[in-house]
mmCIF file of all heavy atoms in Angstrom:
data_model
loop_
_atom_site.group_PDB
_atom_site.id
_atom_site.type_symbol
_atom_site.label_atom_id
_atom_site.label_comp_id
_atom_site.label_asym_id
_atom_site.label_seq_id
_atom_site.Cartn_x
_atom_site.Cartn_y
_atom_site.Cartn_z
ATOM 1 N N PHE A 97 -19.971 32.118 -18.566
ATOM 2 C CA PHE A 97 -21.154 31.247 -18.318
ATOM 3 C C PHE A 97 -22.424 32.141 -18.184
ATOM 4 O O PHE A 97 -23.530 31.612 -18.228
ATOM 5 C CB PHE A 97 -20.906 30.530 -16.926
ATOM 6 C CG PHE A 97 -20.130 29.282 -17.027
ATOM 7 C CD1 PHE A 97 -19.350 28.857 -15.943
ATOM 8 C CD2 PHE A 97 -20.037 28.533 -18.222
ATOM 9 C CE1 PHE A 97 -18.597 27.705 -16.020
ATOM 10 C CE2 PHE A 97 -19.238 27.396 -18.394
ATOM 11 C CZ PHE A 97 -18.590 26.996 -17.247
ATOM 12 N N VAL A 98 -22.279 33.461 -18.129
ATOM 13 C CA VAL A 98 -23.448 34.311 -18.047
ATOM 14 C C VAL A 98 -24.254 34.153 -19.339
ATOM 15 O O VAL A 98 -25.488 34.272 -19.433
ATOM 16 C CB VAL A 98 -23.114 35.761 -17.784
ATOM 17 C CG1 VAL A 98 -22.259 36.259 -18.915
ATOM 18 C CG2 VAL A 98 -24.299 36.591 -17.631
ATOM 19 N N VAL A 99 -23.511 33.872 -20.469
ATOM 20 C CA VAL A 99 -24.207 33.688 -21.758
ATOM 21 C C VAL A 99 -24.909 32.329 -21.757
ATOM 22 O O VAL A 99 -26.101 32.276 -22.236
ATOM 23 C CB VAL A 99 -23.150 33.714 -22.821
ATOM 24 C CG1 VAL A 99 -23.855 33.359 -24.252
ATOM 25 C CG2 VAL A 99 -22.459 35.027 -22.966
ATOM 26 N N VAL A 100 -24.378 31.325 -21.232
ATOM 27 C CA VAL A 100 -24.944 30.024 -21.150
ATOM 28 C C VAL A 100 -26.255 30.052 -20.380
ATOM 29 O O VAL A 100 -27.310 29.521 -20.603
ATOM 30 C CB VAL A 100 -24.038 28.915 -20.539
ATOM 31 C CG1 VAL A 100 -24.663 27.606 -20.432
ATOM 32 C CG2 VAL A 100 -22.771 28.801 -21.459
ATOM 33 N N ARG A 101 -26.191 30.768 -19.155
ATOM 34 C CA ARG A 101 -27.321 30.847 -18.313
ATOM 35 C C ARG A 101 -28.415 31.593 -19.058
ATOM 36 O O ARG A 101 -29.614 31.180 -19.017
ATOM 37 C CB ARG A 101 -26.970 31.756 -17.075
ATOM 38 C CG ARG A 101 -26.138 31.021 -16.038
ATOM 39 C CD ARG A 101 -26.115 31.837 -14.755
ATOM 40 N NE ARG A 101 -25.232 31.340 -13.735
ATOM 41 C CZ ARG A 101 -24.011 31.713 -13.513
ATOM 42 N NH1 ARG A 101 -23.448 32.597 -14.270
ATOM 43 N NH2 ARG A 101 -23.321 31.110 -12.555
ATOM 44 N N ALA A 102 -28.198 32.665 -19.726
ATOM 45 C CA ALA A 102 -29.132 33.483 -20.441
ATOM 46 C C ALA A 102 -29.831 32.696 -21.484
ATOM 47 O O ALA A 102 -31.122 32.692 -21.623
ATOM 48 C CB ALA A 102 -28.483 34.711 -21.049
ATOM 49 N N ILE A 103 -29.094 31.917 -22.323
ATOM 50 C CA ILE A 103 -29.670 31.150 -23.400
ATOM 51 C C ILE A 103 -30.571 29.997 -22.827
ATOM 52 O O ILE A 103 -31.694 29.722 -23.285
ATOM 53 C CB ILE A 103 -28.652 30.563 -24.283
ATOM 54 C CG1 ILE A 103 -27.815 31.635 -24.983
ATOM 55 C CG2 ILE A 103 -29.227 29.512 -25.302
ATOM 56 C CD1 ILE A 103 -26.661 31.227 -25.858
ATOM 57 N N TYR A 104 -30.078 29.292 -21.767
ATOM 58 C CA TYR A 104 -30.781 28.209 -21.151
ATOM 59 C C TYR A 104 -32.179 28.677 -20.568
ATOM 60 O O TYR A 104 -33.201 28.039 -20.725
ATOM 61 C CB TYR A 104 -29.966 27.472 -20.155
ATOM 62 C CG TYR A 104 -30.467 26.215 -19.715
ATOM 63 C CD1 TYR A 104 -30.220 25.037 -20.285
ATOM 64 C CD2 TYR A 104 -31.257 26.128 -18.501
ATOM 65 C CE1 TYR A 104 -30.777 23.794 -19.935
ATOM 66 C CE2 TYR A 104 -31.716 24.945 -17.982
ATOM 67 C CZ TYR A 104 -31.494 23.785 -18.762
ATOM 68 O OH TYR A 104 -32.016 22.537 -18.300
ATOM 69 N N GLN A 105 -32.123 29.837 -19.878
ATOM 70 C CA GLN A 105 -33.291 30.326 -19.261
ATOM 71 C C GLN A 105 -34.264 30.834 -20.320
ATOM 72 O O GLN A 105 -35.517 30.848 -20.012
ATOM 73 C CB GLN A 105 -32.959 31.412 -18.194
ATOM 74 C CG GLN A 105 -32.206 30.948 -16.972
ATOM 75 C CD GLN A 105 -31.928 32.017 -16.042
ATOM 76 O OE1 GLN A 105 -31.351 33.019 -16.392
ATOM 77 N NE2 GLN A 105 -32.253 31.821 -14.738
ATOM 78 N N LEU A 106 -33.792 31.304 -21.371
ATOM 79 C CA LEU A 106 -34.731 31.661 -22.490
ATOM 80 C C LEU A 106 -35.489 30.544 -23.057
ATOM 81 O O LEU A 106 -36.698 30.699 -23.320
ATOM 82 C CB LEU A 106 -33.902 32.466 -23.509
ATOM 83 C CG LEU A 106 -34.718 33.013 -24.689
ATOM 84 C CD1 LEU A 106 -35.653 34.147 -24.241
ATOM 85 C CD2 LEU A 106 -33.759 33.546 -25.771
ATOM 86 N N ILE A 107 -34.771 29.419 -23.280
ATOM 87 C CA ILE A 107 -35.489 28.366 -23.964
ATOM 88 C C ILE A 107 -36.133 27.379 -22.990
ATOM 89 O O ILE A 107 -36.974 26.536 -23.389
ATOM 90 C CB ILE A 107 -34.468 27.608 -24.862
ATOM 91 C CG1 ILE A 107 -33.298 27.020 -24.112
ATOM 92 C CG2 ILE A 107 -34.021 28.438 -26.045
ATOM 93 C CD1 ILE A 107 -32.370 26.249 -24.919
ATOM 94 N N TYR A 108 -35.754 27.533 -21.665
ATOM 95 C CA TYR A 108 -36.455 26.781 -20.622
ATOM 96 C C TYR A 108 -36.924 27.719 -19.579
ATOM 97 O O TYR A 108 -36.309 27.870 -18.525
ATOM 98 C CB TYR A 108 -35.566 25.752 -20.044
ATOM 99 C CG TYR A 108 -35.225 24.588 -20.994
ATOM 100 C CD1 TYR A 108 -33.933 24.482 -21.548
ATOM 101 C CD2 TYR A 108 -36.140 23.665 -21.313
ATOM 102 C CE1 TYR A 108 -33.633 23.505 -22.436
ATOM 103 C CE2 TYR A 108 -35.788 22.619 -22.190
ATOM 104 C CZ TYR A 108 -34.542 22.499 -22.791
ATOM 105 O OH TYR A 108 -34.291 21.542 -23.669
ATOM 106 N N PRO A 109 -37.942 28.478 -19.809
ATOM 107 C CA PRO A 109 -38.466 29.537 -18.902
ATOM 108 C C PRO A 109 -38.699 28.894 -17.487
ATOM 109 O O PRO A 109 -39.203 27.818 -17.375
ATOM 110 C CB PRO A 109 -39.769 30.013 -19.498
ATOM 111 C CG PRO A 109 -39.630 29.627 -20.991
ATOM 112 C CD PRO A 109 -38.854 28.404 -21.058
ATOM 113 N N GLY A 110 -38.262 29.689 -16.450
ATOM 114 C CA GLY A 110 -38.566 29.236 -15.145
ATOM 115 C C GLY A 110 -37.539 28.250 -14.539
ATOM 116 O O GLY A 110 -37.532 27.981 -13.332
ATOM 117 N N MET A 111 -36.593 27.799 -15.389
ATOM 118 C CA MET A 111 -35.544 26.959 -14.888
ATOM 119 C C MET A 111 -34.401 27.699 -14.290
ATOM 120 O O MET A 111 -34.057 28.840 -14.681
ATOM 121 C CB MET A 111 -34.961 26.087 -16.067
ATOM 122 C CG MET A 111 -36.008 25.124 -16.606
ATOM 123 S SD MET A 111 -36.412 23.800 -15.445
ATOM 124 C CE MET A 111 -34.854 22.845 -15.384
ATOM 125 N N ASN A 112 -33.712 27.130 -13.296
ATOM 126 C CA ASN A 112 -32.573 27.758 -12.622
ATOM 127 C C ASN A 112 -31.369 27.758 -13.628
ATOM 128 O O ASN A 112 -31.116 26.808 -14.335
ATOM 129 C CB ASN A 112 -32.151 26.903 -11.442
ATOM 130 C CG ASN A 112 -31.071 27.556 -10.595
ATOM 131 O OD1 ASN A 112 -30.290 28.356 -11.145
ATOM 132 N ND2 ASN A 112 -31.068 27.260 -9.369
ATOM 133 N N GLY A 113 -30.743 28.964 -13.775
ATOM 134 C CA GLY A 113 -29.678 29.139 -14.697
ATOM 135 C C GLY A 113 -28.426 28.326 -14.385
ATOM 136 O O GLY A 113 -27.572 28.160 -15.218
ATOM 137 N N ASP A 114 -28.288 27.757 -13.202
ATOM 138 C CA ASP A 114 -27.205 26.965 -12.833
ATOM 139 C C ASP A 114 -27.298 25.561 -13.231
ATOM 140 O O ASP A 114 -26.339 24.768 -13.111
ATOM 141 C CB ASP A 114 -27.018 27.047 -11.302
ATOM 142 C CG ASP A 114 -26.334 28.298 -10.787
ATOM 143 O OD1 ASP A 114 -25.665 28.996 -11.661
ATOM 144 O OD2 ASP A 114 -26.496 28.655 -9.627
ATOM 145 N N VAL A 115 -28.464 25.126 -13.711
ATOM 146 C CA VAL A 115 -28.707 23.755 -14.195
ATOM 147 C C VAL A 115 -27.741 23.387 -15.240
ATOM 148 O O VAL A 115 -27.083 22.328 -15.215
ATOM 149 C CB VAL A 115 -30.173 23.525 -14.589
ATOM 150 C CG1 VAL A 115 -30.291 22.174 -15.292
ATOM 151 C CG2 VAL A 115 -31.137 23.634 -13.385
ATOM 152 N N PRO A 116 -27.527 24.149 -16.336
ATOM 153 C CA PRO A 116 -26.570 23.799 -17.346
ATOM 154 C C PRO A 116 -25.168 23.756 -16.861
ATOM 155 O O PRO A 116 -24.320 22.960 -17.308
ATOM 156 C CB PRO A 116 -26.814 24.817 -18.500
ATOM 157 C CG PRO A 116 -27.372 26.071 -17.751
ATOM 158 C CD PRO A 116 -28.295 25.377 -16.666
ATOM 159 N N LEU A 117 -24.855 24.601 -15.843
ATOM 160 C CA LEU A 117 -23.492 24.689 -15.389
ATOM 161 C C LEU A 117 -23.168 23.300 -14.597
ATOM 162 O O LEU A 117 -22.010 22.856 -14.638
ATOM 163 C CB LEU A 117 -23.299 25.856 -14.444
ATOM 164 C CG LEU A 117 -23.614 27.173 -15.046
ATOM 165 C CD1 LEU A 117 -23.153 28.310 -14.191
ATOM 166 C CD2 LEU A 117 -22.986 27.358 -16.441
ATOM 167 N N LEU A 118 -24.119 22.862 -13.840
ATOM 168 C CA LEU A 118 -23.995 21.547 -13.178
ATOM 169 C C LEU A 118 -23.694 20.427 -14.154
ATOM 170 O O LEU A 118 -22.909 19.594 -13.927
ATOM 171 C CB LEU A 118 -25.248 21.296 -12.322
ATOM 172 C CG LEU A 118 -25.412 22.153 -11.036
ATOM 173 C CD1 LEU A 118 -26.762 21.935 -10.471
ATOM 174 C CD2 LEU A 118 -24.335 21.865 -10.055
ATOM 175 N N GLU A 119 -24.360 20.444 -15.288
ATOM 176 C CA GLU A 119 -24.221 19.438 -16.278
ATOM 177 C C GLU A 119 -22.860 19.583 -17.053
ATOM 178 O O GLU A 119 -22.164 18.665 -17.282
ATOM 179 C CB GLU A 119 -25.323 19.552 -17.326
ATOM 180 C CG GLU A 119 -26.648 18.975 -16.798
ATOM 181 C CD GLU A 119 -26.635 17.508 -16.385
ATOM 182 O OE1 GLU A 119 -26.095 16.754 -17.253
ATOM 183 O OE2 GLU A 119 -26.905 17.191 -15.297
ATOM 184 N N ILE A 120 -22.474 20.896 -17.235
ATOM 185 C CA ILE A 120 -21.157 21.130 -17.806
ATOM 186 C C ILE A 120 -20.085 20.647 -16.867
ATOM 187 O O ILE A 120 -19.111 20.002 -17.297
ATOM 188 C CB ILE A 120 -20.957 22.643 -18.117
ATOM 189 C CG1 ILE A 120 -21.878 23.063 -19.313
ATOM 190 C CG2 ILE A 120 -19.470 22.926 -18.447
ATOM 191 C CD1 ILE A 120 -21.931 24.502 -19.597
ATOM 192 N N GLY A 121 -20.262 20.899 -15.589
ATOM 193 C CA GLY A 121 -19.379 20.405 -14.506
ATOM 194 C C GLY A 121 -19.218 18.920 -14.567
ATOM 195 O O GLY A 121 -18.120 18.368 -14.368
ATOM 196 N N ARG A 122 -20.338 18.215 -14.795
ATOM 197 C CA ARG A 122 -20.296 16.840 -14.852
ATOM 198 C C ARG A 122 -19.478 16.303 -16.059
ATOM 199 O O ARG A 122 -18.673 15.368 -15.906
ATOM 200 C CB ARG A 122 -21.754 16.207 -14.934
ATOM 201 C CG ARG A 122 -21.843 14.714 -14.970
ATOM 202 C CD ARG A 122 -23.313 14.239 -14.915
ATOM 203 N NE ARG A 122 -23.976 14.664 -16.103
ATOM 204 C CZ ARG A 122 -23.983 13.978 -17.245
ATOM 205 N NH1 ARG A 122 -23.271 12.843 -17.338
ATOM 206 N NH2 ARG A 122 -24.628 14.357 -18.318
ATOM 207 N N TYR A 123 -19.686 16.935 -17.157
ATOM 208 C CA TYR A 123 -18.810 16.569 -18.368
ATOM 209 C C TYR A 123 -17.345 16.847 -18.144
ATOM 210 O O TYR A 123 -16.504 16.090 -18.473
ATOM 211 C CB TYR A 123 -19.352 17.399 -19.587
ATOM 212 C CG TYR A 123 -20.389 16.679 -20.357
ATOM 213 C CD1 TYR A 123 -21.770 16.829 -19.958
ATOM 214 C CD2 TYR A 123 -20.077 15.857 -21.410
ATOM 215 C CE1 TYR A 123 -22.775 16.150 -20.632
ATOM 216 C CE2 TYR A 123 -21.138 15.191 -22.145
ATOM 217 C CZ TYR A 123 -22.499 15.382 -21.744
ATOM 218 O OH TYR A 123 -23.450 14.719 -22.451
ATOM 219 N N ILE A 124 -17.106 18.040 -17.581
ATOM 220 C CA ILE A 124 -15.725 18.455 -17.323
ATOM 221 C C ILE A 124 -15.074 17.485 -16.336
ATOM 222 O O ILE A 124 -13.942 17.055 -16.470
ATOM 223 C CB ILE A 124 -15.678 19.888 -16.797
ATOM 224 C CG1 ILE A 124 -16.130 20.909 -17.911
ATOM 225 C CG2 ILE A 124 -14.207 20.198 -16.445
ATOM 226 C CD1 ILE A 124 -15.454 20.781 -19.225
ATOM 227 N N LYS A 125 -15.808 17.130 -15.321
ATOM 228 C CA LYS A 125 -15.254 16.258 -14.263
ATOM 229 C C LYS A 125 -14.950 14.848 -14.867
ATOM 230 O O LYS A 125 -13.942 14.294 -14.612
ATOM 231 C CB LYS A 125 -16.311 16.053 -13.124
ATOM 232 C CG LYS A 125 -15.890 14.997 -12.157
ATOM 233 C CD LYS A 125 -14.664 15.499 -11.362
ATOM 234 C CE LYS A 125 -14.327 14.448 -10.300
ATOM 235 N NZ LYS A 125 -14.079 13.131 -10.823
ATOM 236 N N TYR A 126 -15.810 14.419 -15.783
ATOM 237 C CA TYR A 126 -15.519 13.140 -16.507
ATOM 238 C C TYR A 126 -14.333 13.211 -17.345
ATOM 239 O O TYR A 126 -13.510 12.309 -17.337
ATOM 240 C CB TYR A 126 -16.832 12.745 -17.303
ATOM 241 C CG TYR A 126 -16.608 11.575 -18.151
ATOM 242 C CD1 TYR A 126 -16.664 10.266 -17.633
ATOM 243 C CD2 TYR A 126 -16.241 11.613 -19.559
ATOM 244 C CE1 TYR A 126 -16.446 9.116 -18.380
ATOM 245 C CE2 TYR A 126 -16.072 10.492 -20.303
ATOM 246 C CZ TYR A 126 -16.166 9.173 -19.713
ATOM 247 O OH TYR A 126 -15.982 8.132 -20.492
#
Side-chain angles (χ1 to χ4, degrees):
F97 280 152
V98 63
V99 176
V100 177
R101 286 192 184 97
I103 296 175
Y104 192 83
Q105 289 180 313
L106 181 64
I107 59 179
Y108 292 107
M111 293 292 290
N112 188 331
D114 283 337
V115 170
L117 304 191
L118 290 168
E119 287 300 309
I120 290 174
R122 183 174 64 84
Y123 271 87
I124 296 304
K125 175 63 177 64
Y126 175 77

